[in-house]
Amino acid sequence: MERELTLELVRVTEMAALASAQWMGRGRKHEADDAATNAMRAMFDSVCMNGTVVIGEGEMDEAPMLYIGEKVGNSPTPEVDVAVDPLEGTNILAKGLPNAMSVIAIADRGNLLHAPDMYMQKLAVGPKAAGLINLDDPIEKTLEIVAKANNKRIVDCTVMILDRPRHHELIEAVRGAGARVRLIGDGDVAAALATAFEDTGIDICAGIGGAPEGVIAAAALKCLGGDMQARLVPEDDAEFQRCLSMGIKDPNRILTMDDLVKGDDAIFAATGVTDGELLKGVRFRGGEIAETYSLVMRAKSRTVRTINTVHNLKYKPHYSLIKEK
């Protein structure tokens, strides 16, 4: 993939973040998601790539744009798989809570797992613990391994977990082992990503969340040298058959990083919508000026860029203001 794509993708996440940030705290998650999706889809038309959406807003009959199988980009090459979440954390944004982001991951055609829209069990860690984890290990053993790798005591480790009833036993096991728990309402891409940055204080991300988000998180961690293992969790026979139809021969097996994101190259871009551990949210500075904070990474070079951009909204053709009452 051409390295120029890294900066092109940031322009796409920036526009989605700008569009959705207007809806922060308004309690209208669907409007926010629609704004992000519309802006992201429009900006893709300016990107020099031949992309196929493999993880998006749903099937063709469910989503008017950025649906699975949709072609994006304006060039015959490079041919890439595209995974998007125009607004990761719709509930977060609606409530004005931290860690809402706009995210994109791409890899060479055929290299991203075509994850069905169902649950996935995940375990993510940063670079120091890469290659040491096993999804089937008890969390107590995982904590011992990660604590040693990160040169910490178990009591100083923090595990980030989605605050859901299904995680009651996991939460109690972490606490029983002596480690700390940080519960989040949504946004498990940001949670997995946080394990690869020491400043966040997050050592492990564990639990069951969305499968599409798992693939996007894996692409980000591949760029950072982190590690992730996962397993699909079909809830009924229909979902099990859906896995088979998408080419996943054994839905019950552990998926390694190379199953989730094949090859040695991937690009991940994210722009903050609300403030979080890694990125500040969109700032509206008054008049026509807004400011965004983004992160873009490439697995092949392990380059990580943080980008602070000042936008004049008057000159953004794909940006539309919410009308004042």
Side-chain angles (χ1 to χ4, degrees):
M1 291 186 293
E2 286 82 354
R3 70 183 67 180
E4 290 80 7
L5 271 177
T6 57
L7 297 181
E8 289 297 300
L9 292 178
V10 170
R11 293 173 58 242
V12 178
T13 57
E14 284 175 346
M15 188 54 63
L18 285 168
S20 58
Q22 297 181 90
W23 295 95
M24 187 192 79
R26 299 179 187 272
R28 298 168 68 178
K29 65 178 184 179
H30 297 298
E31 288 85 349
D33 194 41
D34 286 347
T37 302
N38 290 335
M40 178 175 279
R41 180 62 185 84
M43 284 300 294
F44 266 129
D45 286 338
S46 68
V47 180
C48 293
M49 68 179 187
N50 179 359
T52 301
V53 176
V54 298
I55 291 174
E57 293 294 280
E59 302 291 343
M60 186 185 301
D61 59 351
E62 298 172 352
M65 60 184 67
L66 295 180
Y67 55 81
I68 296 170
E70 184 175 2
K71 300 293 185 180
V72 294
N74 64 8
S75 174
T77 58
E79 296 184 347
V80 296
D81 285 346
V82 179
V84 302
D85 196 341
L87 180 56
E88 206 256 334
T90 54
N91 288 317
I92 286 173
L93 182 71
K95 297 176 181 178
L97 297 173
N99 283 322
M101 302 189 303
S102 173
V103 296
I104 296 173
I106 68 170
D108 290 324
R109 183 67 49 82
N111 280 6
L112 290 182
L113 178 72
H114 294 199
D117 189 6
M118 64 178 61
Y119 282 133
M120 174 183 275
Q121 182 186 4
K122 310 170 207 176
L123 178 64
V125 295
K128 291 179 180 178
L132 303 177
I133 60 171
N134 187 307
L135 186 64
D136 284 338
D137 283 343
I139 193 65
E140 294 88 348
K141 181 176 180 180
T142 300
L143 276 164
E144 291 177 4
I145 292 168
V146 175
K148 183 176 180 181
N150 289 350
N151 193 28
K152 290 183 176 182
R153 303 178 301 165
I154 289 178
V155 293
D156 297 324
C157 290
T158 301
V159 183
M160 190 169 271
I161 305 171
L162 280 170
D163 188 5
R164 302 289 189 272
R166 62 179 177 268
H167 291 145
H168 174 75
E169 291 184 7
L170 173 62
I171 292 166
E172 291 306 307
V174 171
R175 290 170 174 165
R180 304 186 302 170
V181 173
R182 178 158 178 194
L183 298 176
I184 55 172
D186 286 290
D188 53 348
V189 173
L193 190 56
T195 64
F197 291 88
E198 291 186 2
D199 288 349
T200 66
I202 304 302
D203 300 281
I204 299 170
C205 175
I208 296 173
E213 291 85 352
V215 177
I216 295 173
L221 286 170
K222 192 153 201 169
C223 295
L224 292 161
D227 198 5
M228 182 172 176
Q229 290 192 357
R231 178 186 284 116
L232 292 168
V233 186
E235 293 193 288
D236 52 37
D237 186 62
E239 289 194 350
F240 190 89
Q241 294 301 320
R242 171 76 169 144
C243 295
L244 299 179
S245 70
M246 295 182 74
I248 301 168
K249 296 179 180 179
D250 181 7
N252 294 318
R253 76 181 181 90
I254 291 178
L255 300 167
T256 66
M257 182 69 84
D258 287 333
D259 294 315
L260 296 163
V261 185
K262 297 176 184 174
D264 65 350
D265 204 4
I267 297 172
F268 173 86
T271 300
V273 182
T274 61
D275 288 349
E277 283 86 8
L278 297 176
L279 292 168
K280 293 181 182 178
V282 175
R283 300 287 194 271
F284 293 101
R285 297 300 189 188
E288 304 286 348
I289 303 302
E291 196 167 358
T292 58
Y293 304 84
S294 303
L295 183 69
V296 61
M297 311 177 286
R298 188 180 182 192
K300 195 167 189 176
S301 62
R302 295 284 174 88
T303 302
V304 180
R305 290 182 173 89
T306 55
I307 300 173
N308 174 206
T309 308
V310 177
H311 306 264
N312 190 318
L313 302 176
K314 182 179 179 180
Y315 298 95
K316 298 290 182 181
H318 305 305
Y319 183 85
S320 58
L321 288 166
I322 293 176
K323 293 182 180 179
E324 289 191 300
K325 293 182 178 179

